[in-house]
Amino acid sequence: MNRPSAPPPFLRRRDWLRWSVAGAAAATAWPAAWSQGRGALEGGALRIVVPYPAGGSSDAAARLLAEALGPRLGVPVGVDNRPGAGGRLAAQQVHRDNSGQNVVLLGNPAVMLVAPLVFKDNGYDTDRDYAALSQITRYAFGVAVGTGVPVRGFPQLHAWMVAHRDRLSAGVPATGSLPHFFALMLAEQLGLTLPVVGYRGSAPLLDDLMGGHIPLAIDALDALEPLHKEGKLRILAISDDQRSPELPTVPTFKETGLPLSAHGWNALYAPAWLPAPRARRIAEATAQAMADKSVQAQFTAAHMVPVASSREQTLQMLATYKAQWTPVVRRSGFQP
């Protein structure tokens, strides 16, 4: 995921530039009238650290959130992209920062759940070194094929996979990501051996899928959906419990007869050293921002599902999620 100069196909350059400019404007033109009369956030400007390059869906989510948080916190809010080590580099640096400045991490399952389970020397402990503040988005996964694979539905894909076992593989946006483990779950349900090819983000993954270099890919819907609508790939099933309103003809895995359901998420985390009053203020402002209909509309337009979540709701979601996925990751025997 080291291609910040080339936004992936699902995030058009004009949109990336618009969000970048909007984020910069929010950081310099925040209102002098403090948020709801509470005064500016103590400690000054806030940085949202994103563990991936600019131009991806995580970056887009952070920039939309930054734009919404500035007026509510009364301080500039900027986005700091720190890619590396599959997202672990940012998590390591933020918890060791201890500069006293306001900084939060945009975390996801790969960084905050999977990495601590599979790396012996991870460099951070999710529970000890971070405090979850608020969930921002949730997303389902889809299995997609390029136009060169002659199937139109998931049952056809299953038959095609059985007939092409010798050259079968599935691409995912990152090794050790949730799509990686979902691919292993899918293979188990189908009774197939499915080699998984990890990429450095959605951009090269989808380039290879559309170019016919890999037969199928598993990725977040916000990455796949625009290209599906443009006819450049075909989504054959999604991991949500219900069909997507944006993809009404695409079935869920459960509708295909497979008991598969999975979601990913993005959430804000504060390093443990950040003073508790500041962390609470950021969490409250984030929940308020994500409950705003206009903010939700911006996320929806960017093919992301917005979530307004209190700290308590976020912690409950994370506990449920950890209980669901920890056995899956350990059973896989995955070694980085």
Side-chain angles (χ1 to χ4, degrees), residues 2 28 39 51 60-61 68 73 108 116 129 145 147 189 195 202 210 212 219 253 261 268 297-298 314 320 326:
N2 295 317
T28 56
L73 293 174
N108 63 19
D129 299 324
V145 297
T147 55
Q189 288 291 328
S202 293
M210 292 184 291
D219 203 351
F253 281 100
S261 177
L268 281 192
Q298 289 180 301
T314 301
T320 301
T326 297

Side-chain angles (χ1 to χ4, degrees), residues 269-283:
Y269 286 79
W273 53 260
L274 190 71
R278 297 189 209 174
R280 283 195 300 270
R281 177 76 184 278
I282 295 168

Side-chain angles (χ1 to χ4, degrees), residues 114-166:
V114 176
L117 289 173
V118 301
F119 287 93
K120 293 181 180 179
D121 185 16
N122 191 49
Y124 59 93
D125 182 291
T126 303
D127 297 326
R128 181 192 65 213
D129 299 324
Y130 282 97
L133 300 183
S134 182
Q135 185 179 358
I136 306 303
T137 63
R138 68 187 290 271
Y139 50 90
F141 308 114
V143 59
V145 297
T147 55
V149 177
V151 299
R152 293 285 174 178
F154 190 80
Q156 289 178 303
L157 175 62
H158 186 193
W160 185 90
M161 293 169 72
V162 171
H164 296 81
R165 293 171 185 263
D166 57 333

Side-chain angles (χ1 to χ4, degrees), residues 131-135 268 279-280 283-284 287 307-320:
L133 300 183
S134 182
Q135 185 179 358
L268 281 192
R280 283 195 300 270
E284 292 168 1
V307 176
S309 176
S310 68
R311 293 188 74 177
E312 292 73 20
Q313 291 169 327
T314 301
L315 289 172
Q316 183 177 6
M317 180 276 293
L318 293 173
T320 301

Side-chain angles (χ1 to χ4, degrees), residues 7-23 54-56 59-61 63-64 67 226 230 298 301-304:
F10 61 93
L11 181 58
R12 300 294 185 237
R13 181 171 176 79
R14 62 178 179 272
D15 294 325
W16 180 50
L17 291 174
R18 173 170 60 83
W19 283 323
S20 298
V21 170
D59 175 70
R63 292 181 187 277
L64 288 174
E67 186 177 358
E230 293 173 11
Q298 289 180 301
H303 307 284
M304 291 180 278

